[in-house]
Amino acid sequence: MSDIPEFKITVTVAGKTQEFMLGTQPLQYVLGSIPDIPCYAGLFSAAAHHPAAAVRNAVAGQDNLPGDAVLSLATDPSANVRARVVNSSIFRRAASEAMLLKLIAGDPEVAEAIAGNVEMFENADAGTLCAAIATHPDPSVRLALASNHGTPVKWLKKLREDGARDVADCAQNMLASRSR
């Protein structure tokens, strides 16, 4: 159990020091209150290994989270954490196409988050990701792809033939807005 990080605040006044342990809720508050800047990368990394999913979720979208922590959070047991981490710029730079395809197949919420950024993953072909998303059994995932302004026109044309009327309408509207 020594691998579990401890979070403390140390306060020194007039040469006297006190330490205060941070439980899950105060830690979430602290993590949500500090800026996402490089000097906090170590704190974000430690929080990525906290046993509470809420704490891991609080740092999952940070752009200054180290790459190894981001990739670890991509396999987190919590779908909320996985869905949030895909929005991190670090994740979009580090994630492999194989990892993204596995995430798309594994959870609709995460697949939706990927669909909303399908063009932004640096190590994956957008067409390959679109193919997986456009055939996803959950229409909400396909709708997220149809409503993404970065979805390639080729895939919007395919989605306007989708069996779910809202997906098809959204794709048609997106195509129409691009031709203006």
Side-chain angles (χ1 to χ4, degrees):
M1 287 296 219
S2 61
D3 291 346
I4 298 174
E6 287 185 350
F7 293 86
K8 303 174 187 176
I9 293 180
T10 303
V11 179
T12 304
V13 178
K16 294 186 179 185
T17 301
Q18 289 184 296
E19 276 191 354
F20 303 93
M21 293 295 294
L22 289 178
T24 301
Q25 287 184 326
L27 181 56
Q28 282 178 257
Y29 178 77
V30 168
L31 292 168
S33 300
I34 61 174
D36 184 6
I37 56 178
C39 67
Y40 293 116
L43 175 62
F44 299 150
S45 182
H49 301 286
H50 195 278
V55 171
R56 296 189 311 274
N57 193 50
V59 297
Q62 300 288 14
D63 288 328
N64 286 287
L65 187 62
D68 60 332
V70 166
L71 294 175
S72 173
L73 290 173
T75 61
D76 196 89
S78 167
N80 290 335
V81 171
R82 292 189 312 271
R84 186 151 188 227
V85 79
V86 301
N87 293 310
S88 160
S89 63
I90 299 296
F91 180 80
R92 291 191 305 258
R93 281 196 298 267
S96 69
E97 185 172 277
M99 175 181 272
L100 291 164
L101 291 171
K102 185 175 179 182
L103 289 168
I104 290 166
D107 187 287
E109 289 177 46
V110 179
E112 268 186 71
I114 293 170
N117 294 301
V118 73
E119 75 286 6
M120 299 178 79
F121 296 99
E122 294 181 19
N123 295 314
D125 176 66
T128 301
L129 298 180
C130 286
I133 294 166
T135 58
H136 198 281
D138 189 322
S140 297
V141 174
R142 299 189 312 273
L143 182 61
L145 184 62
S147 63
N148 177 354
H149 290 278
T151 299
V153 169
K154 168 186 173 179
W155 292 99
L156 291 174
K157 288 179 178 178
K158 289 183 189 261
L159 287 170
R160 71 181 173 191
E161 305 299 325
D162 195 275
R165 190 76 251 147
D166 56 342
V167 174
D169 290 346
C170 182
Q172 182 60 44
N173 290 338
M174 188 63 75
L175 282 167
S177 73
R178 289 189 184 179
S179 65
R180 290 183 202 149

